[in-house]
Amino acid sequence: MTGHSARWKLFKFLKVLLFSVIFSITVLFLVATVRTFTFDVDAGLQLGKWENTTAISLHLSPQQRKNLLNTSLTSAIQIPTVSFTETNVNTSALREFDGLLRKVFPKIFSSSLVQHEMVGNYSHLLTVPGSEPDLEPYMLLAHIDVVPADEADGWDAPPFSAQEINGFIYGRGTIDNKQSVMGILQALEYLLERGYTPRRSFYIGLGHDEEVNGLHGAANIVKLLKSRGVKLQYVLDEGLAVLDGVISGLDGPAALIGISEKGQATVKLSVSSAPGHSSMPPRESSIGILASAVKRQENPMPRLFGYGPERGTFEHLAHKFGLPLRFIMSNLWLFSPLLSRVLERKPDTNAFVRTTTAVTMFNSGVKINVIPSYAEAFVNFRIHSAQTLQEVLELVESTVSDERVKVELVNGFDPLPISSYDENTFGYQIIKKTVQSMFPQLTVAPGICVGNTDSRHYKDITQDIYRFAPSWFKPGDPQRFHGVNERISIQNYEEIVLFYFQLIQNNDVRKLPPPHSSQHEL
């Protein structure tokens, strides 16, 4: 009887436990389902009553469109403003580019409104004072220099020809970043031609060495602004773009506005040992010891998805996915571990999940029959927002775990602070409004830049830095960035000019309208 009673109590316990599990799963499923069909954090200020500031519209004649392309963008692409290293930039091309700007934009360089200064010999700082000096200024950034390009790599057109093929202009700098350089200045030129005077002051900074860390261009522009006590409402630089068909499963294109960028570290690993003859090799050579240490570095850094701004990207896009992806994206509080495992399978999405590791250089040996006494390798890390430079270095040391291997930090910096992107954030909402007024079909979301930009130098004079230009990327286009067949469509360049034309005027609002949530209180 006692045994029967014990079994009955165990059965009742298991029954209650099973019921509790089923009930919990059912509740979780119902909560997740309701959230899936109601979750939309991208609404923002769509229903807000904005102050109308776009007083000047832009209508271009066929001849103006032709001039916009041939005398502006193509001429800029044809000048090879290549940066090779921090100490090796094409200074003659930079001087030629300066002459082009003065020729193509006569209103800017003759206007009594615009103050122009050369900084670091080849960079440009333009100051455009507003009629209401109590409004905090903002700043638009772009860079003049480009990375090297060789036609022998397989270009369909010479990389500095600006040749048109099927409605696209091919050339180095078409998407990185002369489209923004010329787009910003062309927009300002058009506004000045139409008698525009801003209410809110703004600056334009055009760096000449962004591709080699911006230490002479952007860094000196910031130094000059700091000496004048300048504080900025926000900064807008290159970075993310409009992705059309690039994100699998997303219904329609999305504009991603970069709210931060990853940090970076370059670490040198080296081994010194006694040299010898190849006929009598030691058990372990300097190359072998180093190769083992480098191999250990290929073990991925910890998954950190959900601990940085990348989670906000997917949550803002959730309502534009079809099932079952919408169910997952709307409930990352539950499915973050699952999504992170999926994302890490591809190199381009793995960058969202963790600090990435890339062994980029390995040097050793002087002769075929000599055991080298020295070997070195360089490893480049792009640091996730949830980690610090110091934490990465400590992980490298623990992973190497060999006293014979010397670990040295060559250079590096922490991830950039995360800029605000809520309904009360001026810069983000102005950019978002401009994007949505031009492209109503777009979904706008915050994003993280896996590369680095000149904007990182500006963190001491503003709290909010955004990284975006409305360049349209379709499948395969992201690989053109620093790659072969970099190009931009003629239509897209016109859209970029119009974007900055409207953005400058949109910045003239004194304040944002009340947020969506405060207008519809129950």
Side-chain angles (χ1 to χ4, degrees):
M1 188 71 179
T2 304
H4 177 75
S5 176
R7 286 195 297 273
W8 176 248
K9 288 181 179 180
L10 177 62
F11 174 75
K12 287 180 66 178
F13 172 75
L14 291 175
K15 184 177 179 181
V16 170
L17 180 63
L18 179 62
F19 176 79
S20 299
V21 170
I22 294 173
F23 179 77
S24 298
I25 292 174
T26 302
V27 170
L28 277 176
F29 179 77
L30 288 174
V31 169
T33 301
V34 171
R35 183 177 170 89
T36 297
F37 294 102
T38 59
F39 187 67
D40 181 1
V41 295
D42 193 50
L45 298 177
Q46 290 177 4
L47 300 180
K49 187 175 181 181
W50 286 82
E51 178 185 357
N52 183 21
T53 59
T54 310
I56 304 173
S57 58
L58 182 61
H59 300 288
L60 299 178
S61 67
Q63 184 60 45
Q64 285 176 315
R65 279 197 164 88
K66 184 177 179 181
N67 293 341
L68 174 66
L69 185 69
N70 295 332
T71 64
S72 177
L73 182 64
T74 56
S75 297
I77 300 304
Q78 289 166 351
I79 301 176
T81 52
V82 178
S83 289
F84 297 96
T85 67
E86 290 180 6
T87 56
N88 183 10
V89 298
N90 191 337
T91 55
S92 60
L94 291 169
R95 284 192 292 269
E96 183 182 356
F97 198 87
D98 173 52
L100 172 69
L101 296 184
R102 296 172 189 273
K103 176 183 176 182
V104 174
F105 305 117
K107 276 286 185 183
I108 291 176
F109 288 92
S110 64
S111 171
S112 59
L113 178 67
V114 180
Q115 177 188 352
H116 172 258
E117 299 170 87
M118 298 296 293
V119 180
N121 295 324
Y122 308 105
S123 291
H124 300 258
L125 173 63
L126 290 86
T127 304
V128 187
S131 60
E132 300 184 20
D134 62 309
L135 298 179
E136 193 169 30
Y138 64 98
M139 190 164 189
L140 305 176
L141 303 182
H143 66 87
I144 297 165
D145 64 322
V146 298
V147 295
D150 189 341
E151 186 178 357
D153 290 337
W155 285 73
D156 293 341
F160 296 102
S161 66
Q163 183 177 330
E164 180 186 342
I165 303 176
N166 298 325
F168 288 86
I169 303 300
Y170 281 69
R172 181 63 86 220
T174 49
I175 57 175
D176 183 26
N177 178 239
K178 289 180 179 175
Q179 90 283 16
S180 289
V181 172
M182 305 308 283
I184 292 169
L185 295 181
Q186 188 67 71
L188 179 57
E189 181 79 3
Y190 284 150
L191 285 166
L192 293 173
E193 287 176 354
R194 289 156 175 79
Y196 172 75
T197 299
R199 292 171 67 184
R200 184 183 300 273
S201 300
F202 66 97
Y203 299 88
I204 297 172
L206 307 176
H208 74 272
D209 61 345
E210 187 273 349
E211 298 292 359
V212 288
N213 294 320
L215 300 180
H216 300 285
N220 279 322
I221 291 175
V222 171
K223 184 178 179 181
L224 181 60
L225 293 175
K226 288 175 72 173
S227 72
R228 297 171 180 172
V230 172
K231 290 292 184 182
L232 300 171
Q233 174 79 251
Y234 75 93
V235 164
L236 176 61
D237 195 6
E238 64 164 338
L240 298 181
V242 177
L243 305 182
D244 187 4
V246 174
I247 303 176
S248 299
L250 189 69
D251 179 18
L256 300 188
I257 301 172
I259 57 171
S260 184
E261 58 187 61
K262 297 181 98 174
Q264 187 176 164
T266 298
V267 175
K268 183 171 83 169
L269 308 179
S270 61
V271 176
S272 297
S273 63
H277 197 281
S278 63
S279 62
M280 297 175 289
R283 179 174 294 180
E284 288 185 291
S285 67
S286 58
I287 292 178
I289 295 169
L290 182 61
S292 295
V294 168
K295 180 65 177 176
R296 289 193 290 275
Q297 291 306 309
E298 293 181 351
N299 294 326
M301 287 278 184
R303 279 193 301 267
L304 294 170
F305 180 83
Y307 294 95
E310 68 282 345
R311 175 170 171 170
T313 302
F314 292 96
E315 289 182 335
H316 276 74
L317 297 175
H319 65 290
K320 299 295 286 187
F321 282 94
L323 295 172
L325 287 176
R326 182 174 179 178
F327 185 79
I328 294 172
M329 302 300 183
S330 300
N331 295 281
L332 291 180
W333 57 278
L334 184 61
F335 293 114
S336 279
L338 172 64
L339 181 59
S340 67
R341 288 182 178 274
V342 173
L343 292 174
E344 71 179 355
R345 294 177 182 174
K346 294 183 179 180
D348 52 348
T349 51
N350 180 55
F352 291 105
V353 173
R354 58 170 47 87
T355 294
T356 55
T357 306
V359 181
T360 54
M361 295 175 66
F362 199 116
N363 305 315
S364 188
V366 294
K367 199 169 184 289
I368 192 94
N369 62 346
V370 176
I371 303 295
S373 62
Y374 180 76
E376 65 179 14
F378 292 85
V379 188
N380 185 250
F381 299 89
R382 299 303 172 106
I383 305 171
H384 188 276
S385 296
Q387 275 186 316
T388 66
L389 173 61
Q390 185 59 39
E391 288 170 343
V392 169
L393 293 178
E394 290 171 359
L395 281 169
V396 173
E397 291 273 9
S398 64
T399 304
V400 168
S401 191
D402 190 334
E403 292 181 353
R404 298 169 297 176
V405 181
K406 185 178 181 181
V407 179
E408 299 175 79
L409 174 66
V410 178
N411 56 57
F413 50 87
D414 285 322
L416 272 291
I418 299 170
S419 300
S420 300
Y421 58 98
D422 61 26
E423 293 182 339
N424 297 308
T425 303
F426 185 88
Y428 185 85
Q429 293 300 338
I430 291 293
I431 298 165
K432 179 178 175 181
K433 169 185 167 62
T434 307
V435 170
Q436 291 182 326
S437 65
M438 286 186 61
F439 309 106
Q441 77 277 27
L442 290 186
T443 305
V444 179
I448 178 77
C449 282
V450 297
N452 297 120
T453 69
D454 264 348
S455 67
R456 73 179 188 275
H457 295 289
Y458 289 77
K459 60 184 176 60
D460 290 339
I461 60 174
T462 185
Q463 291 186 332
D464 289 324
I465 299 173
Y466 303 104
R467 304 150 184 91
F468 173 78
S471 300
W472 282 67
F473 286 176
K474 293 182 181 292
D477 286 338
Q479 287 70 41
R480 302 177 192 273
F481 193 87
H482 282 202
V484 174
N485 286 329
E486 185 179 345
R487 69 181 188 179
I488 190 171
S489 73
I490 296 171
Q491 177 185 340
N492 192 198
Y493 178 61
E494 291 182 8
E495 291 168 343
I496 288 171
V497 173
L498 180 58
F499 170 80
Y500 289 114
F501 187 89
Q502 293 188 354
L503 178 75
I504 292 171
Q505 294 185 78
N506 286 341
N507 274 287
D508 282 336
V509 297
R510 290 196 62 86
K511 59 182 180 179
L512 298 177
H516 173 83
S517 56
S518 68
Q519 292 182 349
H520 296 81
E521 294 178 357
L522 295 178

